[in-house]
Amino acid sequence: ESDYSQYAGCVYLNLNHKGIESKSYIRKIQQLQLKTVFFVHDLIPVNYPEYCRAQEQAKHALRIRHMLQVGHAIIVNSAFTKAELLQFAQTQKLTAPPITVALLSSDLHHLLAPPKLLPVLQHKKYFVVLATIEARKNHLLLLQIWQRLIQQLGKDAPYLVLVGQRGWEADQVFNLLDRCELVKRRVIECSSSCDVELKATLLNAQALLFPSFVEGFGLPLVEALSLGVPVIASDIGVFREIGQGVPEFIDTLDTKLWYDMILEYNKNASLLRQDQLLRMKHYQHWEWQDHFNAIQYVIEPIERVEAECH
């Protein structure tokens, strides 16, 4: 019989969702008598299973139940995720431990190395998307818009730069990227990008496009705003929460408004784009230090109680 007493009361911080669905994993936490703090990124597989792999809904629901049952505290990335977590706890008739919001951040604006634009993007006018290519990210909307832009504007159509690897549940998008000659003319795929290249790609874009159906957070929005790059995003709660009123927010199903807004932001003297750049001056960036301070604020009382017990 192993002696686990040396671990009793230690704070264990779990930052990803992997393995938490396993009963043996939870038993081990209880055997070791750890005081566990979980980080919940989202409840998308539970509440929006249509965007995830088939088995993911039941697996993720089990993870979240385990976190609520054995967690001493839970950290989330947004008020939106917190609300979804509390709603889940209520429907499962579980009491949630204390939940703290610690917004994620970006360091791109602190990079000292000069931005390095990829040769393929030199002297091009383009919009950029930062996301794994999957159904939830709504690339299909943009590819349909780009087909129309190319038909309308011909060689004056802007480019669309997709930064991110191919994922799942997006066969229609892959087919367009691989087989549609119209799309191939103006869409550039960059499956990966180092920070220096990413910063340059954002800084030289007309705007970041972020038409997701649902997100737990939305780091690319923060990355763009921290660099002073305009954003056109879907009108979802979490984007309004972290966007501080700066981006253009458009309903995900309003294809015509997306088309018109992209056309507007493509103009050299776009008034709407200038207006967003003015709003950008009031944007308050949340640094990584703020994020870690929030986590420390959660952990310290747990450690203090344990010290007092001994």
Side-chain angles (χ1 to χ4, degrees):
E1 189 70 21
S2 303
D3 176 22
Y4 294 130
S5 60
Q6 60 181 314
Y7 302 109
C10 289
V11 176
Y12 168 53
L13 184 60
N14 185 302
L15 297 178
N16 69 39
H17 295 160
K18 282 183 184 168
I20 300 173
E21 69 276 9
S22 157
K23 285 179 182 168
S24 62
Y25 173 88
I26 297 305
R27 270 200 304 274
K28 181 62 82 176
I29 285 172
Q30 291 169 324
Q31 271 181 337
L32 296 171
Q33 297 175 61
L34 298 172
K35 300 205 164 179
T36 309
V37 178
F38 291 105
F39 196 107
V40 175
H41 295 263
D42 60 68
L43 279 82
I44 290 169
V46 176
N47 294 335
Y48 308 90
E50 63 272 27
Y51 300 126
C52 304
R53 293 186 179 96
Q55 291 77 32
E56 204 57 28
Q57 185 179 27
K59 191 188 281 187
H60 202 61
L62 196 53
R63 287 178 192 134
I64 301 295
R65 271 204 297 277
H66 284 161
M67 291 187 209
L68 290 166
Q69 285 164 343
V70 304
H72 270 69
I74 292 177
I75 297 162
V76 292
N77 51 9
S78 63
F80 171 76
T81 301
K82 180 176 180 175
E84 294 232 307
L85 185 56
L86 287 170
Q87 180 65 40
F88 179 87
Q90 194 179 348
T91 58
Q92 298 287 315
K93 296 185 168 46
L94 292 169
T95 305
I99 301 169
T100 299
V101 176
L103 299 176
L104 304 178
S105 185
S106 164
D107 268 344
L108 285 182
H109 60 303
H110 292 311
L111 274 184
L112 294 175
K116 192 174 85 181
L117 194 61
L118 293 166
V120 71
L121 301 181
Q122 298 280 358
H123 314 300
K124 287 186 175 73
K125 204 172 190 183
Y126 64 87
F127 291 79
V128 65
V129 183
L130 307 184
T132 300
I133 301 175
E134 53 171 300
R136 178 170 64 86
K137 303 291 186 177
N138 204 12
H139 289 77
L140 187 59
L141 168 93
L142 298 178
L143 293 187
Q144 289 167 340
I145 285 172
W146 247 261
Q147 286 174 287
R148 195 169 149 213
L149 281 172
I150 297 161
Q151 286 167 341
Q152 300 272 349
L153 303 178
K155 60 180 174 41
D156 293 325
Y159 285 79
L160 177 63
V161 179
L162 308 180
V163 180
Q165 295 183 328
R166 295 192 180 194
W168 51 89
E169 310 287 336
D171 289 349
Q172 208 174 343
V173 173
F174 304 148
N175 288 340
L176 283 170
L177 290 172
D178 292 336
R179 306 199 323 237
C180 177
E181 289 307 319
L182 210 55
V183 164
K184 283 182 181 181
R185 278 189 225 165
R186 277 293 184 273
V187 177
I188 298 168
E189 268 189 275
C190 301
S191 59
S192 64
S193 182
C194 70
D195 283 353
V196 175
E197 291 166 348
L198 181 58
K199 184 173 180 178
T201 304
L202 279 167
L203 284 172
N204 289 278
Q206 296 300 109
L208 170 80
L209 303 178
F210 208 167
S212 292
F213 289 110
V214 61
E215 293 284 345
F217 186 71
L219 192 57
L221 191 147
V222 172
E223 289 173 328
L225 295 184
S226 72
L227 293 171
V229 175
V231 176
I232 304 172
S234 46
D235 193 357
I236 56 177
V238 72
F239 286 174
R240 289 219 171 245
E241 176 189 341
I242 64 177
Q244 300 175 25
V246 177
E248 305 283 358
F249 294 111
I250 306 177
D251 188 292
T252 47
L253 300 177
D254 195 340
T255 310
K256 185 181 185 311
L257 190 50
W258 275 94
Y259 178 85
D260 291 345
M261 193 63 75
I262 289 165
L263 213 49
E264 166 66 27
Y265 268 63
N266 191 49
K267 291 178 189 168
N268 288 330
S270 164
L271 293 178
L272 285 181
R273 192 173 188 276
Q274 285 170 20
D275 285 347
Q276 183 172 164
L277 291 172
L278 285 175
R279 294 197 297 275
M280 197 87 69
K281 291 177 179 167
H282 304 290
Y283 176 72
Q284 298 285 309
H285 186 64
W286 168 283
E287 298 287 354
W288 276 119
Q289 192 55 55
D290 300 313
H291 174 83
F292 292 117
N293 288 347
I295 291 175
Q296 193 60 36
Y297 186 76
V298 172
I299 292 172
E300 271 176 1
I302 301 171
E303 290 179 326
R304 195 160 54 240
V305 168
E306 187 53 35
E308 286 165 4
C309 289
H310 291 293

